[in-house]
Amino acid sequence: MKFIAGPCVIESAELLDIVAGRLVAINRRMGTEIIFKASFDKANRTSLGSFRGPGIDKGLRMLADVKSKWGLRLLTDIHEAWQAGPVGEVVDVVQIPAFLCRQTDLLVAAAKTGKIVNIKKAQFLSGADMRYPYEKALQSGAAEIWLTERGNSFGYNNLVVDFRNIPDMLAIAPTVVMDCTHSVQRPSAANGTTGGDRRFVPAMARAAKAFGANGFFFEVHPDPDCARSDGPNMLQLDDLENVIESLL
């Protein structure tokens, strides 16, 4: 069972250390290997004035410091093909954002890094449709590919999870991750920002496990209500261990 956790965006070195330290403690107590996730750039924020992060150069240096200091494997996302090379030199898993999962050049570039490629399912695709992004990455040389469920658009400003997507994607890839926090988003529903409801995160995780998910993705923060991105749907850092224990 795979676990991915970390803040939505790199806000500060202090935040990265707080979260990384907690993940290391959970790994030690529970025998897990949580992969540390944080974004150096949130390129798809709702409004122009939203915080995006430190950028690729500073962000990758900060992520490299996390790996050096805490010994955690790393995951981050890319939004343009040119980013794959430098990102692949630092992280262990290159993630393709859901909105971009059909972008051929992005998938090819990620595959050529030699790192694990995690492709998030678009909000407008079915699980079965993910065979095509998977095949693009596979045929471009990716050694290992994960697929991630994160809900589907349900009218305006809402998502719903069709858990049948999980077994459908398991027929394509051996690892299917449930994004338990982005799946409770309310996109663009909070006056120029994305809303959400973190109350449902533990239930999303357990339901996904019942449908066969073998990976779980949580964005976490010590104070989600003050987070600079995705706060409403991020899990409280103090609650992560109990959620992981329930899955184990």
Side-chain angles (χ1 to χ4, degrees), residues 155-170:
Y156 298 116
N157 308 122
N158 202 8
L159 297 173
V160 67
V161 176
D162 180 351
F163 289 98
R164 295 173 298 180
N165 285 327
I166 293 171
D168 284 348
M169 289 193 290
L170 283 168

Side-chain angles (χ1 to χ4, degrees), residues 123-188:
Q123 298 89 328
F124 49 84
L125 293 180
S126 71
D129 290 331
M130 290 303 290
R131 64 173 287 194
Y132 304 107
Y134 180 89
E135 288 173 353
K136 287 180 182 179
L138 184 67
Q139 293 169 14
S140 300
E144 185 172 352
I145 305 163
W146 303 347
L147 299 178
T148 292
E149 167 62 36
R150 54 99 69 243
N152 282 86
S153 297
F154 187 68
Y156 298 116
N157 308 122
N158 202 8
L159 297 173
V160 67
V161 176
D162 180 351
F163 289 98
R164 295 173 298 180
N165 285 327
I166 293 171
D168 284 348
M169 289 193 290
L170 283 168
I172 300 166
T175 298
V176 172
V177 178
M178 180 67 199
D179 185 339
C180 307
T181 45
H182 285 101
S183 61
V184 301
Q185 279 182 335
R186 300 290 176 91
S188 305

Side-chain angles (χ1 to χ4, degrees), residues 189-229:
N191 192 28
T193 63
T194 289
D197 196 336
R198 72 178 68 95
R199 292 179 302 158
F200 299 115
V201 169
M204 284 288 186
R206 291 192 294 271
K209 182 182 178 184
F211 276 83
N214 49 17
F216 300 89
F217 179 113
F218 304 96
E219 288 193 332
V220 296
H221 196 284
D223 188 3
D225 290 333
C226 293
R228 303 190 70 180
S229 175

Side-chain angles (χ1 to χ4, degrees), residues 5 9 14 17 26 30 57 64 68 79 88 94 96 113 124 131 139-140 159 172 176 193 197 222 234 236:
V9 66
E14 180 184 16
D17 276 343
I26 294 172
M30 308 195 78
D57 294 333
S68 175
H79 292 83
V94 179
I96 306 299
T113 65
F124 49 84
R131 64 173 287 194
Q139 293 169 14
S140 300
L159 297 173
I172 300 166
V176 172
T193 63
D197 196 336
M234 272 203 281
Q236 173 74 35

